[in-house]
């Protein structure tokens, strides 16, 4: 790896869209120019600027997948069931072990001297305030997922733990309500705490380091320059970027599919909309059209405004439930749940010899694969907004701030639902469908019509911003790392995201969504494990911080 100290001023960009490091940093000396392998054309009045190989292979395979899934709906569903069972049944240990490695790497870097290195060069200044940065970190990661699983997961784990079923985390606490609740909240926080954010942190740090400190394109292939050298611009790099496209597409499609089922259930519950596949399809099409309108109008500021509104609405809904729900239980439960999470963390993160195979395979393995599928999208976003932070500051913030908010969210919504069932005997919360449980929980509180409507709006706006931002990330990858590729390309990927979500819902429902997240998450997990080595090597080549 040919490096040299660089002290050029920041107004001289080293790569298109990538500002030069401020202060000492070791740039990688490469002749590669962003977009040099692109096909630029004007076809039927549409300007196109595409990386020929990455775009064409990704688009053809994805389109073929959508067509076959829609054409063979009756025969494809059992195939998805088989694939999901095989991957989670045989590779759960791999996903769990890999996620542990990501956490260990992040914690190790926090306490290592390498933690002093600053993203963007030794003298780089942060682009955002702490408050603005923290808001974006959380908004990027888990919007639709928190809405979908906030009530369902704690309540489900409580039920299996209390009953002592085969799906109970850590073999459950049969007949012991307090023990079952402790296990349920520990297992839920495990899935939404340090491990997923360590996955995001590994991707974000690797992208930020090799772009802002090394001067390479903001693309997954750049991370592998220490291992592949100039070959990273050839087929090895193409394969990495194609896998990143697939992982992002199917990770997003899983979230969009979950969001559509919940929004449709909410519309049925609140307004009597028909409960059918047609409702979900129309919802996905409508929301995708809104996202396309946002893309065509170029209203990035509009999307930012929507994100801020969503954060405010989510905070209002959260604090409303805290205020009118079992307030004391939520306040004390927050700290009790953190303690239970810490106590049970070693057992929950154990990859081998598990007695709770259904839980570790059906829940944990799926989650880790899903977070890994999401990681290129979330990682690229976090990388873009984190320039100027030290590695230590970056990792502590990315892992702890959103994890803390997730604990509060799950304690509030999940804890309230469990309290309604255990203390008040409201069985409707437990018996409702997965996509309806949030609304049934809110029904037991004041102003339920308003709060349920707010919840539907939250899901829809998370959907719009995810589709818009996701298409930007995928377009950047398939445009050879360009961040200002022509608009029609982003529109294409937004349509594809919606089409995949529809195809998966019709071709196998939630199992199909989960299957594709796990299927694309598996090869990308291998890529991220290799990226761990590249991160350490890249950081060690940086000028030593004082």
């Amino acid at each position: 790896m040919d490096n040299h100290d660089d002290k050029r001023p920041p107004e001289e960009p080293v790569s298109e869209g990538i500002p030069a490091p401020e202060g000492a940093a070791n740039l990688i000396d490469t002749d590669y120019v962003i977009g040099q392998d692109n096909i630029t054309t004007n076809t039927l009045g549409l300007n196109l600027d595409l990386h020929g190989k990455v775009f064409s292979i990704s688009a053809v395979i994805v389109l073929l997948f959508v067509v076959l899934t829609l054409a063979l709906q009756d025969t494809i569903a059992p195939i998805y069931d088989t694939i999901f069972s095989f991957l989670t049944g045989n590779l759960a240990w791999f996903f769990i072990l890999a996620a542990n490695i990501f956490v260990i790497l992040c914690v190790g870097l926090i306490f290592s001297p390498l933690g002093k290195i600053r993203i963007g060069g030794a003298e780089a200044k942060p682009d955002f305030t702490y408050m603005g940065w923290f808001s974006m970190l959380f908004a990027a990661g888990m919007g639709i997922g928190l809405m979908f699983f906030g009530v369902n997961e704690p309540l489900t784990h409580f039920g299996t733990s209390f009953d002592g079923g085969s799906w109970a985390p850590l073999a459950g606490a049969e007949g012991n309500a307090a023990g079952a609740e402790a296990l349920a909240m520990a297992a839920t926080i495990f899935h939404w705490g340090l491990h997923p954010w360590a996955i995001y942190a590994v991707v974000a740090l690797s992208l930020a380091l090799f772009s802002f400190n090394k001067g390479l394109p903001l693309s997954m292939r750049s991370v592998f320059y220490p291992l592949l050298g100039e070959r990273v611009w050839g087929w090895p790099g193409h394969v990495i970027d194609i896998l990143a496209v697939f992982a992002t597409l199917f990770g997003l499609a899983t979230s969009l599919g979950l969001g559509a089922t919940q929004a449709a259930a909410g519309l049925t519950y609140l307004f009597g909309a028909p409960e059918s596949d047609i409702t979900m399809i129309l919802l996905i099409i409508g929301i995708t059209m809104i996202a396309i309108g946002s893309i065509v109008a170029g209203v990035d500021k509009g999307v930012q405004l929507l994100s801020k509104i969503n954060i405010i609405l989510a905070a209002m809904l959260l604090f409303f439930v805290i205020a009118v729900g079992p307030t004391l239980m939520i306040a004390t439960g927050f700290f009790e749940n953190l303690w239970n999470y810490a106590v049970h963390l070693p057992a929950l993160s154990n990859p081998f010899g598990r007695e709770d195979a259904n839980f570790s395979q059906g829940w944990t393995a799926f989650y880790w694969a899903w977070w890994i599928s999401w990681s290129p999208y979330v990682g690229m976003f976090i990388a873009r907004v984190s320039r100027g932070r030290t590695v230590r500051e970056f990792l502590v913030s990315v892992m702890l701030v959103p994890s803390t908010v997730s604990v509060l969210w799950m304690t509030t919504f999940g804890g309230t639902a469990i309290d309604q069932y255990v203390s008040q005997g409201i069985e409707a919360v437990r018996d409702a469908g997965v996509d309806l449980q949030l609304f049934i929980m809110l029904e037991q509180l004041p102003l339920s019509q308003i709060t349920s409507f707010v919840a539907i709006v939250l899901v829809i706006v998370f959907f719009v911003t995810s589709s818009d931002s996701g298409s930007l990330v995928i377009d950047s990858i398939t445009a050879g790392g360009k961040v200002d590729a022509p608009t029609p390309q982003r529109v294409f990927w937004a349509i594809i995201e919606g089409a995949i979500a529809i195809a998966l819902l019709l071709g196998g429902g939630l199992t199909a969504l989960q299957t594709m997240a796990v299927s694309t998450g598996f090869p990308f997990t291998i890529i991220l494990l290799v990226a761990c080595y590249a991160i350490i090597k890249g950081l060690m080549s940086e000028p030593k911080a004082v």
Side-chain angles (χ1 to χ4, degrees):
M1 183 166 65
D2 295 323
N3 297 319
H4 61 276
D5 285 344
D6 187 277
K7 295 186 179 180
R8 285 177 289 173
E11 63 269 14
E12 296 181 22
V14 294
S15 182
E16 184 177 330
I18 306 296
E22 299 178 54
N26 274 346
L27 286 171
I28 289 176
D29 187 10
T30 177
D31 295 329
Y32 181 81
V33 178
I34 290 182
Q36 70 178 35
D37 298 323
N38 283 18
I39 297 170
T40 306
T41 182
N42 188 318
T43 305
L44 301 176
L46 297 176
N47 290 321
L48 300 175
D49 191 352
L50 309 163
H51 190 290
K53 296 181 178 67
V54 174
F55 178 88
S56 58
I57 293 173
S58 302
V60 167
I61 292 176
V62 168
L63 286 171
L64 188 63
F65 166 83
V66 170
V67 171
L68 288 176
T69 301
L70 290 174
L72 304 172
Q73 289 178 35
D74 295 334
T75 56
I76 208 82
I79 296 174
Y80 285 134
D81 288 336
T82 303
I83 293 173
F84 184 78
S85 298
F86 174 80
L87 287 174
T88 55
N90 293 281
L91 295 173
W93 66 269
F94 173 73
F95 288 117
I96 294 172
L97 181 62
N100 291 344
I101 290 171
F102 300 142
V103 172
I104 291 168
L105 172 67
C106 291
V107 173
L109 288 176
I110 288 171
F111 291 100
S112 157
L114 297 176
K116 296 180 181 179
I117 292 170
R118 191 170 294 275
I119 298 168
E123 298 173 16
K125 299 291 187 292
D127 297 324
F128 301 95
T129 63
Y130 271 119
M131 188 55 65
W133 186 46
F134 290 160
S135 298
M136 287 186 284
L137 292 182
F138 179 73
M142 298 183 170
I144 290 175
L146 284 176
M147 297 297 295
F148 193 86
F149 289 108
V151 170
N152 167 258
E153 186 173 352
L155 198 55
T156 300
H157 293 330
F158 172 80
T160 56
S161 296
F162 186 79
D163 295 339
S166 62
W167 282 87
L170 304 180
E174 190 170 354
N176 180 351
E181 183 170 359
L183 267 179
M185 296 310 302
T188 301
I189 293 169
F190 174 58
H191 291 150
W192 296 85
L194 294 179
H195 282 73
W197 287 99
I199 292 168
Y200 292 156
V202 165
V203 178
L205 178 59
S206 60
L207 287 168
L209 174 68
F210 284 93
S211 293
F212 299 136
N213 292 62
K214 307 297 186 186
L216 299 181
L218 194 65
S219 179
M220 279 308 302
R221 70 169 74 202
S222 298
V223 178
F224 293 84
Y225 194 96
L227 288 82
L228 298 172
E230 291 296 313
R231 287 177 297 163
V232 82
W233 314 123
W235 271 108
H238 301 342
V239 171
I240 291 167
D241 278 351
I242 290 169
L243 284 173
V245 170
F246 290 158
T248 306
L249 270 176
F250 288 108
L252 272 171
T254 300
S255 297
L256 301 186
L258 294 177
T261 58
Q262 188 174 34
L267 291 172
T268 300
Y269 164 77
L270 208 55
F271 303 111
E275 189 174 353
S276 65
D277 288 341
I278 298 297
T279 301
M280 284 192 291
I281 291 169
L282 291 175
L283 198 57
I284 293 173
I285 291 173
I287 295 172
T288 301
M289 294 302 293
I290 296 172
I292 289 172
S294 167
I295 292 168
V296 171
V299 288
D300 286 340
K301 290 183 179 179
V303 174
Q304 288 182 34
L305 178 62
L306 280 176
S307 296
K308 290 177 180 177
I309 292 173
N310 236 23
I311 292 296
I312 293 170
L313 283 176
M316 289 172 62
L317 183 62
L318 174 68
F319 290 116
F320 176 81
V321 175
I322 292 173
V324 304
T327 308
L328 182 61
M329 185 277 294
I330 293 171
T332 57
F334 176 81
F335 298 101
E336 290 173 3
N337 293 338
L338 275 176
W339 171 252
N340 289 324
Y341 167 58
V343 168
H344 293 296
L345 182 59
L348 288 167
S349 57
N350 172 31
F352 305 110
R354 296 287 291 263
E355 295 180 15
D356 55 349
N358 280 346
F359 169 79
S360 61
Q361 295 170 10
W363 281 95
T364 305
F366 160 65
Y367 267 132
W368 288 180
W370 188 21
W371 300 148
I372 289 166
S373 294
W374 260 85
S375 63
Y377 157 59
V378 180
M380 192 170 291
F381 178 84
I382 293 176
R384 284 183 172 184
V385 300
S386 299
R387 187 173 179 273
R389 306 290 175 184
T390 65
V391 169
R392 181 172 295 125
E393 185 182 17
F394 171 88
L395 290 173
V396 168
S397 300
V398 170
M399 290 181 69
L400 293 187
V401 173
S403 293
T404 303
V405 177
S406 295
V407 173
L408 180 59
W409 186 277
M410 291 300 184
T411 298
T412 301
F413 287 82
T416 299
I418 292 173
D419 180 72
Q420 289 174 351
Y421 173 57
V422 175
S423 302
Q424 303 174 44
I426 302 172
E427 295 187 359
V429 182
R430 180 199 62 182
D431 298 337
V434 177
D435 46 11
L436 203 55
Q437 285 180 312
L438 170 64
F439 303 107
I440 300 300
M441 185 276 285
L442 291 173
E443 184 182 311
Q444 317 309 318
L445 304 175
L447 306 177
S448 61
Q449 295 288 99
I450 296 174
T451 54
S452 293
F453 181 73
V454 169
I456 295 171
V457 171
L458 276 168
V459 172
I460 290 175
V461 179
F462 275 132
F463 195 144
V464 171
T465 53
S466 294
S467 178
D468 189 291
S469 304
S471 61
L472 174 63
V473 169
I474 295 167
D475 181 39
S476 177
I477 297 171
T478 55
K482 287 196 172 184
V483 294
D484 58 350
T487 300
Q489 297 168 203
R490 285 178 65 186
V491 171
F492 171 80
W493 289 117
I495 294 171
I496 288 296
E497 287 160 22
I500 291 174
I502 291 171
L504 289 173
L505 282 172
L506 293 178
L510 293 181
T511 301
L513 294 168
Q514 293 174 330
T515 298
M516 293 316 299
V518 173
S519 299
T520 53
F522 170 61
F524 206 71
T525 304
I526 299 171
I527 286 178
L528 293 193
L529 287 170
V530 179
C532 291
Y533 170 76
I535 288 173
I536 295 172
K537 192 167 183 180
L539 286 172
M540 291 180 69
S541 71
E542 283 294 287
K544 296 297 179 284
V546 292

